[in-house]
Amino acid sequence: MPGQQHVIDVTAAIERARFGRFQVLITALCALIALLDGFDTQAIAYVAPVIAEQWGMNVAGFGPIFGAGLAGLTVGAFLLSPAADRFGRKSIILLSMLIFGVFSLVTAWAGTMNELLLYRFLTGVGLGGAMPNIIALTSEYAPARLRATLVTVMFCGFPFGSTIGGIISAPMIGAFGWQSVFIVGGIAPLAVLLVLIAFLPESLRYLVASHAPRERIAAILRRLDPDNAARIEAGSSFVLHEPKAAGFTVAKLFQDGRARTTLLLWAAFFMNLLVMYFLVNWLPSLLRASGMPIQTAILSTAVLNLGGVIGAIALGRMIDRMNPHLVLGTAYAASALFIVGVAFGAHDLWLLMPAIFLAGFGVVGAQIGMNALAAGIYPTAIRSTGVGWALGIGRVGSIIGPVAGGALLGAGWNAQGVVLAAVVPALLASLAVFTLRRQPAPAGALKASATLAH
C-alpha cells in the first residue's frame, strides 16, 4: 500500500543478495589489509639474521624482539576489538592502519635493541587491532553458504604478504639494507589508508545494531543488492534479529551457553598460534644456523606461508561443505607429522621444502579457517570482541613460542630439537578442536537462513 513502511531484515538481505562486485570489493580490500599485515608481522624475522650480524650479537637475543611485536598484537587485539563493537569496524581498521604504518616506518631508524623492541611493540598494536576487524567485516557481508570460503580467501592475504616478503626481502636487504624492508612496510599501509577511507564500507549489520541513520543503511543495501535496489527506500525500517549486548562485552563471551565453547576456542588459538609464530619467526634463523645460505633460509618461510595460502583456500571450501571441527582438527594433527619432517629434513632440500609447505598447509591454513569458525560463533554485537579475544589469547601463545625458541637455543638445544618441540602444541590444538566439535551451537551464532519482509 502507498505510504506503508517497508521492514527489511538485513540478515535476510545479505543472504539473498547475488554475490557481486560490492562483496568482491570488501573481500579484496580486507585481503589487501591482511597482506600488508602479513608482510609487516613477518618483517622482523627476515631482517633478524642480518641485524644480528651487523650489530655483532647472537641471533638468540632476538627472542624478546619477536616477543615484543607479538605482545603489541595481543594488546591491540584485546583493546581495539571491543572498541570496534562500540565505534564500528571501519573506524578501528583505519586507526590500526595508521598506527602500524607509522611505527613500521619509524623502525627503519632504530639504532639500539631497546628502540627496536619499542617500535615493534607499537607496530604490533596496530597490527593486532586490524586483524579481528577485517575478519568480522568480511564475515558480516558474506552469505552463510560462502562465509568460511570468503573469510579464508580474504585472510590468505596474510600468509601471501609473508610470502611476498620472503621473496623480495633478501634482494632488498642486499641492495638497500635491512631498513628498506620497514620503509616499504610503513609507506604501503599509509597509502592504502587513503583508499580505505574512500571505498571501505562500514559493516551493515553493525550499522543496524547501532541504530545508524536509515539513509546510510539504505545506500549500502542498494549497493549490496542492486537487483532489488528499487524496493529499498531511504525511509525503510531495518531490523537485525540478533541478541544485543549491554555492559562489558567481554563478559558476554561466557554467557548464553558460550563459556565452554569460548574456552576451547581460546585453547585452539593459543596452541596453534604458538606453533605458527614459533615457525615463522625462528625458521630462517634455525636453517641459517644449520648452514643454509640466508636466501634459502628466508625462502623457507615464504614456502611455509605459501602452503598456508593453499591450505586456507582448500580448507575453507571443505569447512563450507563438511564439519569444520573435523576438517580443522585433522589439519592440526597432520601438521604435527609434517613438523617432524621439517626437523629431520634440514639437510635435504627435497625433503625439507615439501615438509615446510605441508606444515604451512596445516598450521597456517587451519589457523585461517579457525578465524572463520570464530566469526560464526558470536553475534554481531560481540563479534569483533569474540574474534579479537580469541586472537588475543592466541597472541599470548605466539609470544611464548618465539621466546621459548630463544630460551631453548640459549640452553644449548640444537635446531632439530627446537623444531621438534613444536609437535606437542600442534597435537593439543587438534585435541581442542575435536572437543569443540561436541559443543552445542551458542545463542546468537550466525544463521544460514532468515526472512525478508516488505
Side-chain angles (χ1 to χ4, degrees), residues 44 48-49 51-52 55-68 112-114 116-117 282 285 402-403 405-411:
I44 190 65
I51 296 177
W55 292 5
M57 58 178 290
N58 192 322
V59 73
F62 268 81
I65 303 298
F66 295 154
T112 67
M113 290 296 286
N114 286 337
L116 196 59
L117 188 148
W282 280 113
S285 297
V403 173
L408 293 176
L409 286 172

Side-chain angles (χ1 to χ4, degrees), residues 1 3 44 48 77 131 149 205 223 232 313 364 383 404 425 450:
M1 294 176 59
I44 190 65
M131 281 189 276
T149 299
R205 296 176 193 259
R223 296 180 65 193
I232 302 166
I313 295 171
V364 182
R383 183 164 296 119

Side-chain angles (χ1 to χ4, degrees), residues 34 61 84 103 148 165 179 190 214 245 249 261 298 318 333 337 340 366 378 385 440:
F103 286 105
Q179 295 89 345
L190 294 177
R214 293 176 180 177
T249 55
T261 298
I298 291 178
M318 292 172 69
L337 177 64
V340 173
Y378 301 106
T385 300

Side-chain angles (χ1 to χ4, degrees), residues 213-391:
R214 293 176 180 177
E215 293 77 9
R216 184 180 179 189
I217 297 170
I220 294 177
L221 197 53
R222 290 190 195 98
R223 296 180 65 193
L224 174 73
D225 190 10
D227 293 341
N228 293 284
R231 300 163 62 193
I232 302 166
E233 302 173 358
S236 297
S237 177
F238 302 97
V239 296
L240 182 69
H241 295 302
E242 292 186 20
K244 294 180 172 59
F248 186 47
T249 55
V250 177
K252 304 296 180 182
L253 304 181
F254 295 90
Q255 298 174 3
D256 300 320
R258 300 188 190 99
R260 187 175 173 85
T261 298
T262 292
L263 291 174
L264 286 169
L265 190 68
W266 286 4
F269 270 74
F270 178 92
M271 291 299 172
N272 192 60
L273 283 172
L274 186 154
V275 176
M276 178 176 163
Y277 278 86
F278 170 86
L279 291 175
V280 298
N281 279 285
W282 280 113
L283 200 55
S285 297
L286 290 172
L287 294 178
R288 181 75 174 116
S290 298
M292 285 191 174
I294 184 65
Q295 291 84 357
T296 304
I298 291 178
L299 182 62
S300 69
T301 308
V303 171
L304 181 85
N305 286 292
L306 179 60
V309 172
I310 305 297
I313 295 171
L315 293 173
R317 290 305 296 153
M318 292 172 69
I319 290 169
D320 276 333
R321 297 167 182 263
M322 302 168 59
N323 185 292
H325 308 94
L326 181 62
V327 172
L328 296 171
T330 301
Y332 285 146
S335 69
L337 177 64
F338 298 126
I339 289 169
V340 173
V342 174
F344 286 96
H347 299 289
D348 183 352
L349 283 178
W350 291 103
L351 174 61
L352 177 66
M353 290 304 175
I356 290 174
F357 177 88
L358 291 171
F361 187 103
V363 173
V364 182
Q367 179 57 46
I368 296 172
M370 284 296 294
N371 294 333
L373 182 66
I377 286 175
Y378 301 106
T380 300
I382 59 171
R383 183 164 296 119
S384 282
T385 300
V387 175
W389 272 68
L391 283 168

